[in-house]
Amino acid sequence: MSSQDSSGELRVGMVGYAFMGAAHSQAWRTVNRVFDLPAQARMVAVCGRDEAKVSAAAAKLGWEEAVTDWRALIARDDIDVIDVCTPGDSHAEIAIAALEAGKHVLCEKPLANTVEEAKAMVSVAAAAGARGVRSMCGFNYRRVPAVTLMRQLVESGRLGTIRHVRAVYLQDWIVDPEFPLVWRLQRDKAGSGALGDIGAHIIDLTQYVTGQLITGVSALTETFVKERPIPAAMSGLSASADGQGGGQAVKGEVTVDDAALFIARLSGGAVGTYEATRFATGRKNGLRVEFNGSLGSVAFDLERLNELEVYDATKPGAEQGFTRILVTEGDHPYLSAWWPPGHIIGYEHSFTHELRDFIEAVATGVDPAPSFADALQVQLALDAVDRSAASGSGWCPVPSAMAEVEV
Ligand SMILES: NC(=O)c1ccc[n+]([C@@H]2O[C@H](COP(=O)([O-])OP(=O)(O)OC[C@H]3O[C@@H](n4cnc5c(N)ncnc54)[C@H](O)[C@@H]3O)[C@@H](O)[C@H]2O)c1
């Protein structure tokens, strides 16, 4: 079993080098320079399918080596951690092989494309955990300091009993019907559309902040643009610059949702509304959540991620009102390691914080969160949303991950 080599290094191999690969690389490069940790991450190798492209990525992102076979990467003795940054169709295969080979695994969200895959990953992760091999799913928004602070406020009881959860994740990058049929628009690659890509984040975030699980949903989904141009590389046609073959656009079917909306019940008695869409024209990465409790409320907007709006209903009436907290103080989560108060942080820091917690857990021999079981709980909610929408918005209970898998 590999865990951490004798020099206190955690030697990392990362699979996938595009969007998340770049974000994770930034975090692997930074984490030990900002946080004092019991182990030092070493960026040993990045893996991709195209030798030239992965070599260029390794040089740009700071990896010692570029490799093209993830199975060979997992088999190496000089790798302790596998960081999975590929689309969902390869998460299960890579993560299971890595855990079985004794490598700690950080796997991007959503954990898998199906509940069945996610269950298999949880079972293997549980067996690996018993051998000291750790696993974690990359729901990075938990590590935005203002989000962690929301969780602390709820957990401390300051907001009383949480009754309402209001969560949206709004993007607009496929409003144009000529936007191509990329992997995120294909069910076999992505599992689902806006639902699994961004809806998964607000499901995890709201379950994390409230400590309550979604127990049932009624949902509807919509695919507004049903066919899109197939990118030349996928169609196999020699393409003209505008992505058309033989003068005629080759189109393929969009097999995922463009938008998903649902209402939910949570295990502590709260009710929730959720909306995830890639058709909110003008909204780029609009993740917003609000929680209303018996003693107060809290609201967060990712586009203003250093801020939290807090309402304290226990204050004298004349002093009541939403207060804007600038979450940059040294006693706010993660922030003592960064800059003086008021010197704001951004998106990328959530990944550095994720790795801070991952490295600390691995090096000190505890299970990091969110676990694969936590991520299965999200997957079960995604699946219930899909089933409810297919049934014409019928009520679909969400089973408990603990009951679904013997761990
Ligand atoms: N945490 C977040 O906020 C966040 C944001 C975006 C994406 N994601 C997740 O990260 C994962 C990757 O998304 P992305 O946006 O980086 O995608 P991307 O298309 O930008 O990058 C995918 C990478 O995987 C590689 N790849 C694809 N199939 C592969 C295979 N079979 N073997 C080896 N390499 C393969 C591609 O070459 C590419 O380098 C997805 O699960 C996605 O849901 C998470």
Side-chain angles (χ1 to χ4, degrees):
M1 184 202 77
S2 137
S3 58
Q4 184 183 340
D5 84 346
S6 53
S7 67
E9 277 188 341
L10 269 184
R11 299 158 300 181
V12 184
M14 186 178 76
V15 191
Y17 53 83
F19 178 21
M20 277 308 101
H24 285 215
S25 298
Q26 174 91 342
W28 285 118
R29 282 198 307 272
T30 309
V31 65
N32 285 104
R33 292 166 203 254
V34 176
F35 293 99
D36 294 324
L37 292 170
Q40 175 77 35
R42 185 169 147 204
M43 298 167 71
V44 174
V46 60
C47 179
R49 292 161 301 176
D50 181 301
E51 197 168 351
K53 287 185 186 164
V54 73
S55 294
K60 184 173 179 189
L61 301 176
W63 295 87
E64 291 170 21
E65 278 178 66
V67 299
T68 55
D69 180 351
W70 61 258
R71 287 185 179 81
L73 179 67
I74 285 171
R76 285 168 56 158
D77 287 338
D78 65 341
I79 295 289
D80 306 304
V81 173
I82 293 292
D83 183 3
V84 184
C85 292
T86 57
D89 62 335
S90 52
H91 287 186
E93 197 180 13
I94 298 172
I96 287 172
L99 288 168
E100 286 177 341
K103 314 299 182 190
H104 309 292
V105 172
L106 171 61
C107 181
E108 258 306 336
K109 49 53 62 181
L111 185 62
N113 277 2
T114 65
V115 165
E116 288 314 308
E117 286 173 348
K119 281 186 192 171
M121 293 168 83
V122 170
S123 294
V124 173
R131 304 193 307 273
V133 178
R134 313 290 166 194
S135 48
M136 174 175 168
C137 187
F139 284 109
N140 56 303
Y141 291 131
R142 287 183 176 211
R143 266 80 187 195
V144 173
V147 173
T148 314
L149 181 60
M150 278 198 290
R151 152 100 177 190
Q152 291 174 355
L153 287 171
V154 172
E155 209 172 20
S156 71
R158 290 283 302 280
L159 304 184
T161 304
I162 301 296
R163 269 97 182 234
H164 279 289
V165 173
R166 217 162 287 113
V168 301
Y169 201 155
L170 312 175
Q171 298 184 341
D172 75 347
W173 54 277
I174 55 171
V175 168
D176 179 355
E178 294 307 309
F179 188 91
L181 190 66
V182 295
W183 70 261
R184 278 188 162 81
L185 305 178
Q186 299 165 53
R187 184 170 282 270
D188 61 330
K189 304 273 190 320
S192 63
L195 175 60
D197 193 18
I198 52 181
H201 274 302
I202 48 176
I203 291 171
D204 179 70
L205 195 159
T206 54
Q207 293 190 142
Y208 166 68
V209 168
T210 60
Q212 301 185 30
L213 303 181
I214 293 176
T215 56
V217 298
S218 169
L220 63 83
T221 58
E222 183 55 68
T223 304
F224 299 110
V225 176
K226 310 220 184 296
E227 286 192 326
R228 289 181 178 273
I230 298 178
M234 281 164 54
S235 71
L237 295 170
S238 65
S240 54
D242 62 2
Q244 298 185 353
Q248 203 172 16
V250 180
K251 292 204 169 186
E253 188 189 355
V254 175
T255 47
V256 299
D257 58 281
D258 288 333
L261 290 75
F262 61 97
I263 56 172
R265 287 194 179 279
L266 286 90
S267 53
V271 292
T273 63
Y274 293 76
E275 182 182 8
T277 178
R278 295 161 168 169
F279 274 75
T281 309
R283 299 294 174 196
K284 303 303 169 186
N285 202 33
L287 188 169
R288 291 191 218 126
V289 290
E290 180 166 310
F291 303 91
N292 307 130
S294 53
L295 301 178
S297 291
V298 63
F300 169 77
D301 180 345
L302 183 65
E303 292 179 357
R304 306 177 71 162
L305 68 71
N306 291 275
E307 300 174 22
L308 204 56
E309 298 279 336
V310 181
Y311 183 93
D312 182 352
T314 66
K315 282 187 173 173
E319 295 171 23
Q320 282 183 13
F322 273 92
T323 302
R324 168 183 168 268
I325 297 178
L326 187 61
V327 189
T328 58
E329 298 292 326
D331 50 8
H332 284 139
Y334 302 104
L335 287 164
S336 61
W338 292 103
W339 316 117
H343 293 66
I344 53 178
I345 63 162
Y347 173 70
E348 70 190 57
H349 296 75
S350 63
F351 296 97
T352 311
H353 300 163
E354 178 172 284
L355 293 189
R356 191 214 86 92
D357 294 345
F358 180 77
I359 292 171
E360 184 155 279
V362 167
T364 57
V366 300
D367 287 322
S371 66
F372 279 16
D374 296 328
L376 168 61
Q377 193 64 55
V378 174
Q379 205 81 39
L380 289 161
L382 297 175
D383 183 65
V385 169
D386 246 347
R387 286 186 289 112
S388 169
S391 77
S393 306
W395 187 255
C396 276
V398 179
S400 148
M402 297 312 283
E404 288 291 294
V405 183
E406 288 296 317
V407 291

